[in-house]
Amino acid sequence: SRADALKAWSIFRDLVRADRERSAHTLRTYWEAHRERFAARMSRAHFRNVASVLEVRAMPLLGDRLLEKINAPAVADLVARMKQAGYVTHGRRREYSPSTLRNSVAVLRMIVRDAFDREQIDRLPLRDLRRLPIEKSVPLRLELNPDERARFLAAFDNEAGFRRLIAQRSTPGPVK
């Protein structure tokens, strides 16, 4: 009967929901559950890189987030935080390079893709993630050639010439 079918469907739906809730993974729980499998299929250096990205960079911001909720805005927030915070090595603060930022995004995509392939999540939330605009920072350089630089610095040594220039000034008022 219709009533029996609805009752059976309701029981089935509740079982599916309970199973889904029981197997819902955050980034942290998925990594902990599958860490050894990743280690077995990667080279030691690659695994150390992946583990570092996840444990040091991604977990503080995304560790408690459900895998299906790791979307493009969450990844953009992670990249922005990494750019802002940088890292400290040998007592100096440094910025993450663009390749390090891209690598961090690639590791997150790999983990989420793995969960999708293993049917731990129903959809691939990072499928539409376009390449993030991560720009290379150009280091500052001197724009004066050595001769120009020497003349520029020598101008600060000519106090008498500076005083003559001030005295010739036609408009009264404070000198800046």
Side-chain angles (χ1 to χ4, degrees):
S1 76
R2 177 176 159 76
D4 291 338
L6 287 174
K7 185 176 179 181
W9 176 79
S10 177
I11 292 170
F12 175 73
R13 182 193 63 203
D14 292 342
L15 288 172
V16 168
R17 283 184 178 166
D19 184 50
R20 180 174 288 158
E21 288 171 6
R22 189 174 65 246
S23 66
H25 282 288
T26 63
L27 179 61
R28 186 179 323 280
T29 59
Y30 190 78
W31 174 243
E32 290 168 358
H34 298 278
R35 179 185 177 99
E36 297 306 318
R37 186 174 50 79
F38 283 105
R41 73 178 198 197
M42 295 179 185
S43 70
R44 176 180 248 159
H46 187 226
F47 176 75
R48 279 196 327 253
N49 179 40
V50 168
S52 173
V53 166
L54 289 172
E55 294 166 3
V56 175
R57 300 176 198 149
M59 291 297 179
L61 185 63
L62 302 174
D64 297 326
R65 187 177 284 238
L66 292 173
L67 287 173
E68 57 267 5
K69 301 286 184 185
I70 297 177
N71 53 18
V75 172
D77 289 346
L78 174 68
V79 169
R81 180 179 270 185
M82 286 174 64
K83 279 182 170 180
Q84 179 186 18
Y87 65 98
V88 177
T89 183
H90 304 294
R92 293 183 55 204
R93 184 194 172 282
R94 296 179 185 257
E95 294 180 4
Y96 286 109
S97 70
S99 63
T100 300
L101 296 172
R102 279 192 216 78
N103 180 43
S104 300
V105 172
V107 167
L108 281 174
R109 289 179 84 150
M110 178 190 70
I111 296 295
V112 172
R113 167 60 104 189
D114 185 75
F116 178 74
D117 291 345
R118 295 183 161 278
E119 298 179 354
Q120 297 292 316
I121 56 177
D122 294 331
R123 63 181 187 81
L124 193 58
L126 295 178
R127 181 184 66 228
D128 296 332
L129 178 66
R130 303 281 185 240
R131 185 176 174 152
L132 293 175
I134 300 172
E135 301 162 4
K136 288 188 175 182
S137 58
V138 178
L140 296 176
R141 61 180 177 83
L142 291 175
E143 295 186 12
L144 300 175
N145 66 36
D147 182 49
E148 291 170 332
R149 185 172 186 270
R151 286 186 308 187
F152 176 75
L153 293 175
F156 291 102
D157 293 335
N158 186 359
E159 184 179 344
F162 180 72
R163 290 188 181 276
R164 275 194 310 275
L165 183 65
I166 297 284
Q168 292 173 358
R169 210 178 119 132
S170 60
T171 58
V175 176
K176 295 184 181 179

